[in-house]
Amino acid sequence: MSIDKIISLCKRRGFVFQSSEIYGGFGAVYDYGPLGTALKNNISQMWWQAMTQFHENIVGIDSGILMHPKIWEASGHVDAFNDPLVDCKQCKARYPADELFDGNPEDGEWDNIQCPKCGTTGNLTEPRQFNLMFKTHIGPVQKDANVAYLRPETAQGIYVNYLLTQNAMRLKIPFGIAQIGKAFRNEIIARNFIFRTREFEQLEMQYFVKPGNDDQSMRDWKNERIAFYSQLGIDSGKLRLQEHGADELAHYAKEAWDIEFEFPFGWSEIEGIHNRTDFDLARHQEFSGKKMEVFDQEANEHYLPYIIETSAGLNRMLLAVLSEAYWEDNENNRIVMKFHPQIAPVTAAVCPLVKKDGLPEMGRKVMDIVKPHFKVIYDQQGSIGKRYYRQDEAGTPYGITIDHQSLEDKTVTLRHRDSQQQDRVAIDQLVSAINDSMEHYT
Ligand code: ATP
């Protein structure tokens, strides 16, 4: 299945739009339409709940996108957040250097590498460094002293607030801090739709542990994080854990794993799980001059905790969910987005069979009954078959149809999106019938 089919459905049905389309688009930024926004919110809410509701020792914060610029010196991003890139002088294609060469090539070796696009050799530039952080200036004067960066990850906002959070919430090691928010990277090569963009959202959780307990914690989080994706309706056969080799480890990491999903363009990372040791806290202690240690009462000692990070991209999760849900039901000549009902943008559509005979009025009453429990929409436009198919494409798991029999016996039909099976349900049982079906969805 090609990514183009998903892109086209996303535009047609209001999931994702290219940014600034009327101006010809704006590179590697996307806007989310009504269905995409609802789906994205449902996914992030599920993550938030998994972290802060199901773990008593994980709390959430929301830090600023702009922060003190020294934070990015301490974190290593000012010096190290670079992607070496190579240009082809012949066809102008641009590649991350590591896509063309493993390890560090000697001077001049680039001359022998072929450009994958135009096939010529000897036209590649030497790898050049690019800093991926967006730089801006605070206040009216653009001088170096006023430099600020748009955060390239949400994690640092957690580190610099971790002691305040610990004290405020009286937390004891081990504990975690979760955050959802925008991050920005001036990606030179942005591609694959919403997979790699310049503005994106991260779902990050930093877990603070006593050094020595870090390896076990890493194992636990790997298991927990990969299991999470089944709640999003993602088949475990399309997920895998890949360990970073020693030469791929980021400057802060002792051990790192990626959770990869089999996207239409191949296996790629959705989430990283990293043992960041005490690197970040030690650096902030050094750069700020403030103690970043916790006190262990039992051992009567101060120490810097180690940090296990789970860092996921919300937009990549969304793309995984969209890819997994897309189903061409050739037998019935329809496209169905098979979202798990718990995250579907709309749970049910209420459809009076015809626009007369008192059916719309009854439809409105059914809306009032169901609305407090689920996101429902009312649809009386067009033939009932067309309405169903429209909802199938939007991924709405249930259709509630009011017909003439409804007026007599106060029942409706409940249509199931994937099987198209229809059950007759009493109106006063509708909410529990939907809840029951959602709970047992496979
Ligand atoms: P990649 O190797 O794909 O560039 P990364 O290893 O640099 O990703 P991290 O720094 O570990 O990514 O960021 C954590 C998560 O943030 C990633 O797993 C991904 O889901 C998301 N992410 C990172 N960069 C982008 C981007 N440019 N667009 C969308 N999501 C991103």
Side-chain angles (χ1 to χ4, degrees):
M1 198 253 308
S2 84
I3 187 82
D4 291 338
K5 288 187 174 172
I6 293 174
I7 296 174
S8 140
L9 179 129
C10 280
K11 181 176 174 185
R12 192 167 73 245
R13 299 316 315 261
F15 284 95
V16 186
F17 305 128
Q18 188 186 15
S19 161
S20 321
E21 197 192 62
I22 60 168
Y23 288 95
F26 191 63
V29 183
Y30 288 90
D31 297 339
Y32 291 84
L35 295 185
T37 304
L39 184 60
K40 189 154 67 70
N41 287 344
N42 291 346
I43 295 171
S44 66
Q45 205 188 339
M46 195 167 263
W47 180 89
W48 190 252
Q49 219 175 33
M51 288 298 176
T52 65
Q53 193 172 320
F54 285 89
H55 290 276
E56 290 171 26
N57 64 344
I58 299 183
V59 295
I61 66 161
D62 186 11
S63 68
I65 286 171
L66 297 171
M67 295 193 282
H68 198 293
K70 270 207 151 178
I71 288 175
W72 305 111
E73 286 174 37
S75 70
H77 284 86
V78 170
D79 288 336
F81 200 50
N82 292 307
D83 259 1
L85 295 169
V86 178
D87 290 312
C88 173
K89 288 179 264 183
Q90 177 72 23
C91 71
K92 310 288 177 230
R94 179 169 272 180
Y95 308 95
D98 61 4
E99 226 175 67
L100 303 181
F101 203 92
D102 277 339
N104 264 331
E106 299 295 322
D107 270 359
E109 276 194 58
W110 286 104
D111 294 346
N112 303 324
I113 298 175
Q114 203 179 26
C115 168
K117 188 166 169 213
C118 69
T120 60
T121 16
N123 283 318
L124 297 176
T125 60
E126 294 280 311
R128 284 180 298 194
Q129 299 290 325
F130 283 79
N131 195 290
L132 294 183
M133 279 199 294
F134 283 99
K135 211 184 216 182
T136 186
H137 292 88
I138 300 294
V141 188
Q142 297 213 354
K143 55 181 185 187
D144 282 353
N146 298 345
V147 161
Y149 300 97
L150 301 189
R151 67 180 176 197
E153 61 178 25
T154 61
Q156 299 300 327
I158 294 180
Y159 304 147
V160 298
N161 283 301
Y162 105 96
L163 283 179
L164 292 170
T165 307
Q166 188 202 22
N167 289 334
M169 303 305 284
R170 307 174 65 82
L171 297 164
K172 288 208 169 59
I173 298 275
F175 67 87
I177 303 179
Q179 169 158 240
I180 299 177
K182 290 248 170 159
F184 302 82
R185 295 183 190 176
N186 196 1
E187 301 277 7
I188 305 300
I189 300 177
R191 59 161 85 116
N192 290 333
F193 192 35
I194 55 172
F195 179 82
R196 185 180 302 287
T197 51
R198 303 206 164 96
E199 178 178 341
F200 56 98
E201 274 172 86
Q202 286 188 316
L203 308 165
E204 294 201 305
M205 194 284 302
Q206 312 293 324
Y207 202 67
F208 298 81
V209 300
K210 191 155 194 188
N213 296 340
D214 51 320
D215 292 337
Q216 182 58 43
S217 181
M218 185 79 190
R219 281 193 285 276
D220 295 344
W221 279 109
K222 266 164 42 194
N223 292 337
E224 175 161 342
R225 289 308 304 150
I226 199 145
F228 169 81
Y229 287 86
S230 69
Q231 290 182 52
L232 300 180
I234 292 180
D235 173 14
S236 60
K238 289 223 178 122
L239 291 167
R240 68 180 187 195
L241 272 163
Q242 291 283 100
E243 185 168 16
H244 285 210
D247 54 338
E248 296 169 288
L249 281 179
H251 59 277
Y252 52 74
K254 168 177 160 187
E255 184 186 351
W257 293 76
D258 290 341
I259 296 180
E260 293 186 344
F261 174 76
E262 193 175 13
F263 286 97
F265 43 83
W267 288 96
S268 304
E269 170 182 346
I270 320 187
E271 171 163 352
I273 302 163
H274 312 128
N275 182 342
R276 295 181 73 131
T277 68
D278 60 3
F279 174 85
D280 300 273
L281 297 181
R283 294 277 290 189
H284 286 306
Q285 183 161 280
E286 181 190 336
F287 279 67
S288 69
K290 296 269 160 46
K291 281 267 171 251
M292 297 296 284
E293 294 170 327
V294 289
F295 180 61
D296 181 344
Q297 254 167 350
E298 269 166 37
N300 195 29
E301 61 173 13
H302 288 91
Y303 67 90
L304 284 176
Y306 268 29
I307 294 171
I308 307 301
E309 161 183 79
T310 73
S311 173
L314 177 55
N315 316 75
R316 288 189 188 178
M317 262 190 206
L318 179 73
L319 185 56
V321 165
L322 288 165
S323 316
E324 181 81 1
Y326 189 96
W327 175 43
E328 286 174 347
D329 178 5
N330 294 324
E331 203 177 307
N332 296 298
N333 198 18
R334 59 178 188 147
I335 293 172
V336 186
M337 294 304 281
K338 285 170 95 173
F339 298 128
H340 194 291
Q342 300 284 3
I343 56 165
V346 176
T347 310
V350 173
C351 306
L353 192 59
V354 288
K355 271 195 249 177
K356 55 182 187 187
D357 304 337
L359 299 189
E361 290 74 10
M362 190 154 187
R364 287 286 168 199
K365 280 194 191 134
V366 170
M367 278 295 281
D368 290 341
I369 292 170
V370 186
K371 212 190 263 177
H373 303 274
F374 314 104
K375 170 70 189 158
V376 274
I377 57 158
Y378 181 80
D379 187 2
Q380 59 176 28
Q381 297 293 322
S383 76
I384 192 72
K386 282 213 177 104
R387 277 182 269 169
Y388 287 155
Y389 277 26
R390 220 169 26 230
Q391 292 306 323
D392 291 342
E393 263 198 352
T396 306
Y398 306 105
I400 299 167
T401 310
I402 291 98
D403 55 17
H404 291 92
Q405 190 184 330
S406 311
L407 299 172
E408 287 161 26
D409 64 4
K410 305 258 181 310
T411 62
V412 291
T413 60
L414 183 63
R415 174 185 182 266
H416 300 262
R417 176 195 63 201
D418 304 351
S419 62
Q420 302 201 73
Q421 185 193 319
Q422 303 196 19
D423 306 327
R424 199 89 210 166
V425 178
I427 291 174
D428 58 8
Q429 297 296 312
L430 200 48
V431 170
S432 60
I434 293 176
N435 270 329
D436 196 47
S437 167
M438 281 170 91
E439 215 168 283
H440 296 103
Y441 179 83
T442 46

